[in-house]
Amino acid sequence: MEVCLVIEVVKKDEEIIFNLETKNSMYQMKVDKYNVLKHLWYGSKTSTDMEYLLDYPDVGFSGQINEVDDSTYSLDTLPVEYSCFGVGDFRVPAISVIHSNGSDAIDLRYQSYSIKKGKYSIKDLPSVYSNNDDCDSLEIVLKDTSSDIYVILKYGVFNDKDIICRSAVIRNEEDSKICLNKAFSMCLDIPYGSLDIIHFHGRHAMERQFERIPITHNIYEFSSTRGTSSHQESPSIIICDKNCNEEFGDCFGATLMYSGNFKIQLEGDQLNQVRMVMGINPDTFSWTLNHNEEFYTPEVILSFSNEGLSKLSHNFHDIIRNNVCRGKYSLESRPVLINNWEATYFDFDAFKILDIANTAASLGIDMMVLDDGWFGKRDSDKSGLGDWYANEDKLKMPLKDLVSKVKSRGTKFGIWFEPEMISEDSNLYRNHPDWAVKIPGRKPGRSRNQLVIDITRSDVRDYLYESISRIIKDCSIDYIKWDFNRSISDVYTYSLSSSNQKEMGHRFVLGLYELLEKLNHDFPNLLIEGCCGGGGRFDAGMLYYCPQIWCSDNTDAYDRSKIQYGTSFIFPISTIGSHVSAVPNHQSGRITPLSARSVVAMSGSFGYELDLNTLSDTDLEKIKQDIKDFKKYNKLIHNGDYYRLSNPNDDNFALWEFVSDEEVLVQGIIFRSEANQLRYNIKLRGLDSDKKYIDSNNNVYTGSALMNGGILLPKSSGDYYSVMIHLKKQY
Ligand code: GLA
């Protein structure tokens, strides 16, 4: 028996058991006498060989591997650790390879393993990192029975955080090249249970909508082919027991640390088992692997909770905050910002920006962000992308002067870029028409009037890095908003031959990561906020480079409460860019009170996006106070434990709670009021039963009272009534 802190390897007769343990979970695999690596368990700790749960019914019609003469042993029904193709497992595979002879079968069997202290990294891709040895890693090597193709399964075990990371490396030691048509990061077979899927679908301005559906005998697919992780589907999934809720029950979550095309497949099979596989979308992918080359798949972050969905979210929030986000701002308070987009759209000059910035400074706002329209010839979305130099005629002063005037009030300065795009009406396009993504002989589709620029090319990346870094340096920029406002169609790159154009999607993502890595490395104090027409690229891959992401172009408080609800299942509150905007709201036309807009935006990386100079003195005073409140509670909001106290899709209110060792903040909005309104009684969560808590009116409650008896929400009056209750723990 070989043991490291969290990885135990037990060898018994012809079998080897791998047992990965975290504080509250156990992940078990077994190499059997045929060297098939079976998956036995992912769930609560049991201290048991979980093989006893496997039923071996007669499945003769499912087929057997060549060396077995036993109709109860079939790859088609066994739970396996990494599912193969073409050798008798007819469920969804994790891998598909075309060999030099044109055949496409692969039968991976166990070869060896190794254990390492610390967390493995993944070449050219973002991955979860370890702090102070909080992780141990296991590598299991599998090999095809009939070729020299290897798959190395990687596991990073974060004991304290209840997180297991997974990724796979495919190595070709054949003399000739092979073609990978599918190379997924992981497979998880669940041989028991009656389960639901929770996934997060959406559209532009309505991202990450929560949906819970039962798993039946079917194949479910959640995916993107848009070149980004997309508005339409999030690369995250939760599988839970039917009776699982926020507080009780078993659930697993998985999120892919990748910002491009992905696919999650879930299959309910003939034995009522469930298989989940996840990785780069094979519909838009293939990869040529030459002799001795390796392919690295993106990381999946996995977690299990036996205390319901809130605990699962806490696990994800914790790992993303501490082991995914990097740099100065990963845990530090972010500047409260004002962005001019909804205030001015393209219609501004430096004086208008200064007017907004001056008022912002007087209210306690920390940073002015100059959005789209400051560069090239850009007065609408029809031109200018790619010409990343300031339009001083439009600004009516050098950008540098505008920045220093804003900074003279002690305000930081941020600026918008959309580096991966090009307008046909731009000097860049006129000089380099071949830099745009388009297929020779086919007229490219436009979206938001623009084309995508080919960042798989190193000359394009060099141009972009040089343009962006020049502005950052020359103008002392503190923050950039990195936008991406269309999906990628007409996929073709001159940098690849005609036979491997399907590598383009992944190479595009690698190009993006290379650029972002260089900026992170060269400008350690720069805060980068991700954006993609709002939240169309909100994933753990981007969060490795940008600790916050603009969550949605929808700033309406009611819609946002649902968008942020869905986002919160996996992503920490500190990563959610959220702004107060004007009413009627520009996206929904809805009018909500300023207090409702503030409370929703505060539950994120907080900011404003409206012309402050059009507001009444009363509103400005309220904003001043809200900023003070946010700064007071910022640490608690960003680093405390987050509890969803309602489901805004079903309830007449959106309510949430932040809890730290010292204090509690309950925030939310009651959607519709009615006459003679009854007050809602809400049970708080995560408190110390035996301790006392005092509210701002000096009422004192025990934690037990607040959690078992609850608290009465204020009597609401008018629609979208805001709630903000702060309690301090007494020692
Ligand atoms: C996208 C972003 C917006 C804004 C505009 C500018 O839609 O999500 O916040 O930056 O682009 O064109």
Side-chain angles (χ1 to χ4, degrees):
M1 181 163 97
E2 189 173 327
V3 190
C4 90
L5 200 59
V6 294
I7 301 170
E8 185 192 34
V9 183
V10 184
K11 296 179 183 160
K12 204 173 71 191
D13 305 327
E14 290 168 287
E15 297 180 337
I16 308 172
I17 294 184
F18 295 98
N19 216 32
L20 317 185
E21 294 211 345
T22 68
K23 209 159 59 179
N24 300 294
S25 76
M26 183 176 110
Y27 189 107
Q28 202 176 68
M29 301 163 264
K30 184 186 264 185
V31 179
D32 71 10
K33 58 182 175 193
Y34 306 111
N35 281 330
V36 169
L37 182 62
K38 292 191 295 208
H39 176 83
L40 294 186
W41 181 253
Y42 186 30
S44 291
K45 286 183 173 180
T46 64
S47 313
T48 305
D49 174 352
M50 298 304 284
E51 170 89 44
Y52 79 92
L53 275 184
L54 294 190
D55 190 12
Y56 285 89
D58 191 314
V59 286
F61 282 92
S62 278
Q64 282 72 49
I65 48 177
N66 184 268
E67 59 267 49
V68 176
D69 182 17
D70 172 358
S71 56
T72 67
Y73 187 101
S74 173
L75 290 181
D76 197 25
T77 49
L78 272 183
V80 295
E81 191 56 23
Y82 195 74
S83 51
C84 298
F85 183 78
V87 290
D89 184 347
F90 296 96
R91 296 167 291 173
V92 284
I95 185 167
S96 162
V97 173
I98 309 283
H99 299 268
S100 56
N101 67 2
S103 66
D104 60 2
I106 185 158
D107 186 358
L108 295 166
R109 305 290 179 90
Y110 173 79
Q111 277 265 309
S112 62
Y113 77 92
S114 60
I115 296 172
K116 291 193 182 92
K117 196 98 215 97
K119 171 69 178 27
Y120 60 84
S121 57
I122 307 178
K123 191 171 172 291
D124 301 330
L125 284 168
S127 59
V128 178
Y129 58 87
S130 76
N131 296 309
N132 317 317
D133 282 343
D134 55 353
C135 178
D136 292 296
S137 297
L138 168 70
E139 247 186 48
I140 299 182
V141 179
L142 307 176
K143 181 184 173 299
D144 183 23
T145 47
S146 310
S147 76
D148 288 331
I149 298 172
Y150 292 80
V151 173
I152 300 118
L153 302 179
K154 303 212 172 205
Y155 301 82
V157 185
F158 289 83
N159 173 39
D160 270 358
K161 296 198 158 68
D162 277 329
I163 291 286
I164 294 180
C165 296
R166 286 194 58 179
S167 153
V169 177
I170 293 107
R171 187 192 306 145
N172 176 22
E173 290 192 17
E174 288 280 282
D175 288 338
S176 46
K177 64 181 179 192
I178 58 167
C179 179
L180 288 176
N181 280 343
K182 185 176 192 181
F184 267 13
S185 304
M186 66 162 288
C187 166
L188 182 69
D189 276 355
I190 309 166
Y192 45 83
S194 164
L195 303 167
D196 280 349
I197 301 171
I198 296 173
H199 73 116
F200 306 95
H201 66 100
R203 56 186 186 275
H204 174 240
M206 279 311 278
E207 298 87 340
R208 287 170 296 287
Q209 299 297 303
F210 173 95
E211 187 168 72
R212 183 167 177 165
I213 51 173
I215 302 181
T216 59
H217 300 91
N218 211 334
I219 297 177
Y220 302 80
E221 290 194 350
F222 307 97
S223 66
S224 164
T225 55
R226 294 165 192 271
T228 60
S229 45
S230 90
H231 298 91
Q232 287 72 11
E233 198 59 63
S234 175
S236 310
I237 199 94
I238 294 173
I239 303 173
C240 58
D241 280 354
K242 284 252 172 297
N243 61 1
C244 177
N245 62 23
E246 285 287 353
E247 292 172 75
F248 307 105
D250 287 359
C251 46
F252 317 87
T255 190
L256 187 68
M257 212 168 162
Y258 190 63
S259 311
N261 298 330
F262 73 90
K263 186 177 272 193
I264 302 169
Q265 293 174 299
L266 278 129
E267 179 167 356
D269 78 3
Q270 55 180 327
L271 299 191
N272 302 338
Q273 308 177 109
V274 173
R275 167 170 294 171
M276 192 257 280
V277 290
M278 189 167 187
I280 296 174
N281 194 335
D283 298 347
T284 50
F285 168 87
S286 82
W287 199 268
T288 304
L289 213 50
N290 293 310
H291 170 63
N292 271 346
E293 280 182 353
E294 292 186 327
F295 182 79
Y296 302 88
T297 66
E299 181 120 292
V300 176
I301 310 173
L302 270 172
S303 190
F304 166 79
S305 152
N306 58 7
E307 293 171 55
L309 298 165
S310 292
K311 178 67 170 62
L312 189 72
S313 295
H314 294 168
N315 296 346
F316 278 108
H317 291 185
D318 201 15
I319 195 91
I320 291 175
R321 267 193 311 243
N322 292 288
N323 303 70
V324 171
C325 295
R326 297 179 299 165
K328 175 171 145 92
Y329 285 102
S330 59
L331 294 172
E332 214 175 87
S333 307
R334 318 281 165 74
V336 174
L337 65 85
I338 173 103
N339 177 304
N340 71 301
W341 179 243
E342 285 198 22
T344 65
Y345 295 104
F346 290 106
D347 183 17
F348 61 85
D349 59 18
F351 297 99
K352 179 115 196 217
I353 300 301
L354 281 171
D355 279 350
I356 297 176
N358 282 336
T359 312
S362 71
L363 300 175
I365 289 177
D366 305 308
M367 182 159 72
M368 175 76 225
V369 175
L370 179 58
D371 210 278
D372 195 355
W374 58 270
F375 52 89
K377 187 176 103 296
R378 180 82 170 163
D379 290 320
S380 77
D381 60 17
K382 291 204 160 68
S383 59
L385 292 171
D387 294 344
W388 300 114
Y389 36 84
N391 182 343
E392 293 182 1
D393 290 341
K394 172 172 177 172
L395 288 175
K396 304 203 184 90
M397 73 173 72
L399 179 60
K400 204 175 166 167
D401 292 359
L402 169 61
V403 177
S404 69
K405 281 185 200 308
V406 169
K407 290 201 165 197
S408 71
R409 302 276 321 250
T411 310
K412 293 179 187 299
F413 198 94
I415 202 158
W416 181 95
F417 284 97
E418 197 183 355
E420 301 149 86
M421 297 293 158
I422 185 164
S423 303
E424 287 152 284
D425 184 3
S426 68
N427 290 334
L428 188 70
Y429 186 84
R430 283 182 279 276
N431 292 333
H432 298 283
D434 57 321
W435 282 12
V437 174
K438 53 187 176 181
I439 301 169
R442 189 181 290 276
K443 289 190 176 136
R446 297 183 192 92
S447 180
R448 210 190 186 216
N449 304 304
Q450 63 202 46
L451 302 180
V452 178
I453 198 169
D454 184 0
I455 59 165
T456 69
R457 295 171 62 135
S458 61
D459 51 355
V460 172
R461 290 198 299 277
D462 289 347
Y463 166 78
L464 290 172
Y465 178 78
E466 205 283 314
S467 315
I468 297 167
S469 59
R470 183 176 30 81
I471 300 267
I472 297 173
K473 278 190 259 182
D474 288 357
C475 302
S476 310
I477 299 293
D478 301 297
Y479 154 113
I480 62 178
K481 178 169 165 188
W482 184 291
D483 210 340
F484 186 97
N485 281 323
R486 62 160 287 179
S487 301
I488 310 179
S489 64
D490 302 277
V491 173
Y492 184 89
T493 172
Y494 291 99
S495 64
L496 291 171
S497 69
S498 56
S499 62
N500 53 2
Q501 284 296 323
K502 277 186 109 175
E503 294 186 5
M504 160 97 182
H506 183 55
R507 288 191 187 275
F508 192 93
V509 179
L510 294 177
L512 166 69
Y513 290 156
E514 187 190 298
L515 263 173
L516 286 169
E517 181 62 37
K518 208 159 173 335
L519 285 170
N520 266 276
H521 177 266
D522 294 353
F523 300 98
N525 292 326
L526 181 75
L527 171 60
I528 308 180
E529 175 156 356
C531 179
C532 172
R537 197 160 58 182
F538 204 122
D539 54 69
M542 286 309 282
L543 288 172
Y544 186 71
Y545 307 98
C546 323
Q548 63 192 57
I549 297 177
W550 181 226
C551 183
S552 177
D553 272 348
N554 190 339
T555 51
D556 170 66
Y558 171 70
D559 287 348
R560 259 296 180 124
S561 69
K562 294 184 177 180
I563 297 166
Q564 293 180 190
Y565 171 78
T567 307
S568 78
F569 278 84
I570 302 291
F571 300 106
I573 304 311
S574 58
T575 64
I576 297 177
S578 194
H579 300 168
V580 173
S581 64
V583 285
N585 180 268
H586 293 193
Q587 295 79 38
S588 67
R590 188 176 288 112
I591 296 179
T592 53
L594 179 55
S595 51
R597 285 173 272 149
S598 302
V599 111
V600 171
M602 271 190 211
S603 172
S605 273
F606 186 43
Y608 288 82
E609 187 156 337
L610 74 178
D611 188 350
L612 295 168
N613 297 315
T614 60
L615 300 183
S616 66
D617 287 349
T618 323
D619 280 355
L620 290 177
E621 264 319 300
K622 161 89 180 122
I623 288 179
K624 212 175 186 172
Q625 187 54 46
D626 288 341
I627 292 168
K628 272 200 194 126
D629 284 346
F630 177 73
K631 289 186 177 172
K632 196 157 74 196
Y633 304 138
N634 192 346
K635 254 207 168 119
L636 169 65
I637 292 176
H638 281 192
N639 299 329
D641 284 339
Y642 177 81
Y643 292 87
R644 292 170 290 268
L645 299 181
S646 75
N647 176 347
N649 302 304
D650 300 338
D651 298 323
N652 184 31
F653 48 88
L655 205 72
W656 56 90
E657 180 197 15
F658 300 98
V659 181
S660 74
D661 273 348
E662 296 89 37
E663 51 183 344
V664 181
L665 183 68
V666 178
Q667 291 182 316
I669 47 177
I670 300 172
F671 297 145
R672 278 167 304 282
S673 81
E674 51 184 39
N676 204 2
Q677 177 93 49
L678 299 176
R679 291 170 71 185
Y680 292 104
N681 178 323
I682 300 298
K683 291 181 181 170
L684 301 193
R685 316 245 319 272
L687 311 186
D688 260 343
S689 299
D690 302 336
K691 294 279 181 201
K692 290 191 173 146
Y693 293 82
I694 180 163
D695 72 11
S696 52
N697 296 321
N698 292 326
N699 298 313
V700 179
Y701 315 86
T702 60
S704 176
L706 293 168
M707 291 195 294
N708 296 304
I711 195 164
L712 291 178
L713 296 189
K715 199 172 179 68
S716 63
S717 156
D719 291 347
Y720 311 109
Y721 189 85
S722 64
V723 176
M724 186 134 126
I725 302 167
H726 182 250
L727 297 145
K728 263 197 152 136
K729 198 198 267 183
Q730 292 187 315
Y731 283 94

